[in-house]
Amino acid sequence: MTRLETLQKNILAVFGEEAALTLDRNELTLEVPVSDWVQTCTTLRDHKDLSFEICIDLCGMDYSAWRAPTYDFDPSLFPHRFAVVIHLLSVKHNCRMRVRCFVPGDDFPVLPTLFHVWPTVNWFEREAFDLYGIVFEGHPDLRRILTDYGFIGHPFRKDFPISGYVEMRYDAEQKRVIYQPVTIEPREIIPRVVREDDYGVGR
């Protein structure tokens, strides 16, 4: 039995055969509902057969593009617009896995923090909050971490404009940094071969 098969067997033994566990491209992904988020992650860390001592990454996901008519969208695969994904490492068993949780509330997604499970997620959760607007309830210091303090919006959301809403520059007369409306003119940046179904036909 391979290490991956052993991990799969152990996860199903701990969480039950009904656990939403998928194996794809030699990677395991466990789907977890919001109500079980903290408890499941704590078990993944503490159970002797799992022992995922380290959370090596946490990120937000915006699946809104999968809801567009151009995609073959299955609502059961993407029940909510936003999700949080973590990647775990077990040094003891020398294995990795992915855990994903879809967060309800397309306008104001809220998920309990994992700070008390893996303190290393501190800055990761701040980044997901900053870029996607996902609120991590119970986080000890949930502030923006990459954008400016006065930044409006969340730039990794699919509906955020590429050029943003405002631009910042130093004003020599006022001798300070000021914000002003964006002066960049929007332009089409998608190549014709991608955006036009009949590109090259009949030419």
Side-chain angles (χ1 to χ4, degrees):
M1 185 177 289
T2 67
R3 186 182 296 118
L4 193 63
E5 291 171 338
T6 300
L7 175 59
Q8 186 175 19
K9 178 177 73 71
N10 290 342
I11 290 174
L12 293 175
V14 172
F15 295 106
E17 293 293 329
E18 69 280 0
L21 185 67
T22 57
L23 174 60
D24 186 33
R25 296 175 180 84
N26 290 321
E27 294 181 343
L28 280 173
T29 302
L30 179 65
E31 299 280 353
V32 180
V34 172
S35 57
D36 298 335
W37 180 238
V38 175
Q39 183 57 51
T40 298
C41 290
T42 303
T43 302
L44 287 167
R45 181 196 64 185
D46 294 343
H47 197 284
K48 63 182 178 59
D49 293 332
L50 303 174
S51 299
F52 286 98
E53 311 100 331
I54 304 171
C55 179
I56 58 177
D57 188 30
L58 178 150
C59 66
M61 296 289 293
D62 181 354
Y63 286 101
S64 59
W66 271 263
R67 301 180 182 192
T70 53
Y71 289 85
D72 183 16
F73 175 65
D74 181 355
S76 67
L77 297 177
F78 307 102
H80 300 290
R81 174 180 177 180
F82 295 104
V84 169
V85 179
I86 59 174
H87 290 87
L88 305 179
L89 169 65
S90 173
V91 176
K92 178 181 178 181
H93 300 298
N94 190 22
C95 58
R96 299 169 185 251
M97 73 171 295
R98 179 188 301 111
V99 186
R100 179 169 63 174
C101 178
F102 281 95
V103 188
D106 289 1
D107 296 322
F108 190 71
V110 179
L111 185 68
T113 183
L114 293 179
F115 176 79
H116 304 293
V117 182
W118 296 288
T120 52
V121 303
N122 186 346
W123 284 14
F124 296 148
E125 289 185 343
R126 286 181 59 186
E127 183 179 286
F129 163 70
D130 191 358
L131 301 179
Y132 291 94
I134 300 171
V135 175
F136 293 89
E137 196 171 35
H139 189 285
D141 187 23
L142 195 62
R143 292 178 291 141
R144 289 187 182 273
I145 192 171
L146 295 174
T147 59
D148 186 55
Y149 293 118
F151 194 88
I152 297 173
H154 304 284
F156 276 19
R157 289 189 173 191
K158 297 288 176 67
D159 53 4
F160 191 87
I162 294 176
S163 59
Y165 295 109
V166 296
E167 60 186 30
M168 180 178 65
R169 68 174 178 84
Y170 180 77
D171 188 286
E173 292 182 2
Q174 300 183 47
K175 299 190 184 311
R176 66 181 182 89
V177 172
I178 64 169
Y179 292 89
Q180 65 184 37
V182 174
T183 56
I184 300 173
E185 293 185 13
R187 60 189 177 89
E188 184 61 68
I189 61 172
I190 302 173
R192 287 178 60 197
V193 68
V194 175
R195 71 176 188 266
E196 295 181 7
D197 292 336
D198 60 347
Y199 179 75
V201 176
R203 290 191 174 92

